Amino acid sequence: MNSKQQKLIFIYAITLMFLVKNADAQQQAGKTLLAKGTVEAISLQTSEVRSLKRRTPIYKVDRVSTYQHSKAQLKMIDGALLALKENTALNIEEYLLSENDEQSSIVIELVSGGLRTITGKIKGNSDNYKLKTPVGSIGIRGTHYEVEIVKGDLFLAVWDGSIEISSDILTEPLVLGSDGTHAFAKISSFGEVKALLKPPKELSSLFGKLLDDEQYSEEQLTEIVTSITSENPNLLVTTQNIVESLDIEALKNAIEDSSFLTEEILDTFQTDDIGALLAQRSGVIEYSDVEEFSVISSVGEVSAFSMRIDVDFDNGTVPLGALSFLDSEGEWFATFNGLINTSGMQLGINYASHGQNLAYGDIKAQFSDELSKIRGSFTLFEIENITTNAGGLFVIKEK
């Protein structure tokens, strides 16, 4: 082999190596649902820095960083949701979703800050899920947990299921959640474990209220509608006062897909054995005592909020649900029904209006406080003018 051939082989090998590395770096791990403030992704291979906004892809070998007064929510390829707190750095080292569950794998590293997550299809039934932290690695047996690094110590809260923390500095793995004796704990940087009876006060808020995130500006709505029409070119949509042709379901799904999973919504997921609690109930119970609500309308102050949800525990249904409130342009009104099961509530709005205008929307709700309360959120939009909208949070109790 002459020197020219050797040089060509060397160039080919280098080129192939570059292409393999570049392809590896471009493996999409998820997308950005919402970014508030300064949120960036930096490739750990190329050092390229990208500013993140809604729908921006997240790749394997990215470090996602939020800064002061910033937050982000990511939706991963397996359906997992990651809510990142401010001043957080998260490395995505591996995110592989395979048709064979045993070959799927997640390796992420919390370098600083904190996160709250609801896991997706990839579960921790083997060694295929690992969240690394400076104190130890976390595997999962469930779906919903929170972790934060504060001055070198690790604070943990399990809201549903279980997690297992392993580390060289721990004498044995620590199990928290339904499979452990506690759901909350602190692990010091020296490996000292302190089990807690309630969520650690050191856990910071996810920063912000649902109403800040669900209240869409015209610019945001235009972006959502534009994304729909680009994917469905036969639609003719305007965000002004006339909608000539509108795929309501597509728009609803796009809006829902862009919603930030706030702390208030996350708190509706519970660690109680809801199946056992449901088995103890019978008959039809009316929930209509409004304990708390926070609602904002795009057209003025809200008043006269009322809500009712009837739950038929014998048949596992919500045969009747209704909510109403007033703003400067009239009454918002919606009726809904649905099902209840061990996963919570599945509700659908079947009629909505605002003044003389038809509307549509979405409602989410979950039992809490041993079924004595229902917590949730909703969004409503006028069909012919989606910039006129309202949304909020509610807590209602048994009557």
Side-chain angles (χ1 to χ4, degrees), residues 368-384:
S368 72
D369 297 74
E370 297 185 338
L371 307 189
S372 66
K373 299 179 183 179
I374 297 175
R375 302 173 182 267
S377 67
F378 68 90
T379 53
L380 295 171
F381 298 81
E382 286 190 4
I383 290 178
E384 293 191 347

Side-chain angles (χ1 to χ4, degrees), residues 32 34-44 47-54 56-59 61-74 84-92:
T32 310
L34 185 137
K36 291 285 188 180
T38 304
V39 184
E40 295 178 339
I42 179 172
S43 170
L44 298 178
S47 298
E48 175 193 5
V49 178
R50 311 186 314 279
S51 178
L52 298 184
K53 60 179 182 179
R54 195 177 71 86
T56 303
I58 301 296
Y59 299 106
V61 305
D62 271 348
R63 170 177 288 188
V64 180
S65 298
T66 63
Y67 298 90
Q68 190 171 8
H69 303 309
S70 303
K71 63 182 177 181
Q73 180 169 317
L74 313 178
L84 307 186
K85 302 181 180 185
E86 64 176 335
N87 297 316
T88 293
L90 180 73
N91 291 346
I92 301 171

Side-chain angles (χ1 to χ4, degrees), residues 97 159 173 196 207 282 366 385:
L97 178 61
W159 308 103
L196 304 172
F207 187 80
S282 62
Q366 291 280 358
N385 183 12

